[in-house]
Amino acid sequence: KRGTLQRKVHADIDGKRTPWGKRGWKSFYTVLKGMLLFLLKDEYRADWQSPEEVISLHHALAEPANEYTKKQYVFRLQTADWRVFLFQAQTAEQMNSWINRVNLV
Ligand code: I3P
């Protein structure tokens, strides 16, 4: 699965609050391959082999970010090392599709 998502880092390893200055939203072209989520610079869609960041989905959990009300279609991804990311999709259908796909890993 792949597509453009906006990403906000909410918590770092062990759930520590991500500091000011690192909490902004950023657009990525996102590719899910196997148990890994590759975050690519949006402008280099094809180049998934040199990602900005790779997130392991092993023992990760995705769910709608119901507590986050500033934007629509946002889901929350918690990783095995207790990082928390928010991802904004473009439609509810896309959000649900990402959640289902991540949770199948
Ligand atoms: C953050 C940025 C985010 C904002 C976040 C800010 O600043 O403005 O958009 O989250 O607020 O800290 P920076 O880019 O300097 O890290 P929202 O868009 O959700 O408001 P937060 O600290 O309340 O998460």
Side-chain angles (χ1 to χ4, degrees), residues 8 10 17 19-25 68 70-71 86:
K8 173 180 174 176
H10 181 75
R17 189 183 195 279
W20 310 106
K22 294 184 175 177
R23 301 180 59 83
W25 289 92
Y68 188 83
K70 292 181 188 174
K71 291 177 188 280
L86 300 181

